[in-house]
Amino acid sequence: MSSEARLYSFTQETESKLRKFRLGTSRAKDPQAVIYQIDKQSLEIAQMGDEVFTNIQELADELPDHSPRFILLSYPLTLPSGRLSVPYVLLYYLPVTCNAELRMLYAGAKELMRNTAEVGKVIEIVDIEELESIEGKLGGVE
């Protein structure tokens, strides 16, 4: 068991939601995203609300200005070859204005979140504007 797995935790319900989201988005026609946060007291990683975002702007509006978040994103796009690709990635939202304690809290859980969610890639974003250009960052993801 990794040190992260001993420090941070997921409930069975959260693990089930992660799996269901991953399997349910692989054939999606629209972008789909969910936001996860860490409870500072229990160190439990859990979904923030039950909403699945299909609009990047609405997702951006939900993100706090001064606190990190993990965002699971499934984003269908057509590759230059004409083939449809649906990259499943973890967006590690780490605003420059968040305090050192929160930075360390989320940095310590990043790999555990990546492995538990079974994402293909982690993309770090530091401001909400980067979400608007996320398609360009995903273009190279297979």
Side-chain angles (χ1 to χ4, degrees):
M1 182 183 285
S2 69
S3 60
E4 297 91 9
R6 287 190 296 268
L7 183 61
Y8 302 96
S9 65
F10 292 94
T11 63
Q12 283 295 104
E13 179 185 1
T14 298
E15 287 182 356
S16 176
K17 282 182 177 182
L18 284 168
R19 180 172 168 72
K20 184 178 178 187
F21 182 75
R22 181 176 57 85
L23 296 174
T25 60
S26 62
R27 303 232 186 279
K29 301 289 184 236
D30 296 312
Q32 296 191 28
V34 288
I35 302 172
Y36 280 80
Q37 65 185 5
I38 301 174
D39 181 297
K40 284 177 27 176
Q41 270 62 47
S42 68
L43 299 181
E44 180 184 318
I45 302 171
Q47 188 172 334
M48 200 176 107
D50 287 326
E51 188 169 0
V52 175
F53 297 91
T54 57
N55 179 300
I56 296 297
Q57 188 56 53
E58 288 175 10
L59 173 64
D61 292 344
E62 275 304 305
L63 293 173
D65 293 333
H66 307 293
S67 182
R69 292 292 185 264
F70 295 124
I71 304 156
L72 294 175
L73 176 66
S74 176
Y75 198 100
L77 39 94
T78 304
L79 300 174
S81 64
R83 192 170 62 90
L84 180 67
S85 176
V86 186
Y88 178 58
V89 299
L90 173 65
L91 300 179
Y92 177 37
Y93 173 64
L94 189 66
V96 292
T97 57
C98 75
N99 69 39
E101 180 189 3
L102 286 174
R103 284 179 176 276
M104 294 303 292
L105 184 70
Y106 278 78
K110 183 171 75 169
E111 284 304 311
L112 179 64
M113 183 68 185
R114 173 190 193 146
N115 294 334
T116 305
E118 300 179 48
V119 297
K121 185 177 184 177
V122 176
I123 299 173
E124 194 168 310
I125 58 174
V126 294
D127 61 39
I128 292 173
E129 285 74 39
E130 285 186 80
L131 270 178
E132 296 166 5
S133 61
I134 197 67
E135 189 169 332
K137 292 183 179 191
L138 294 173
V141 176
E142 285 280 341

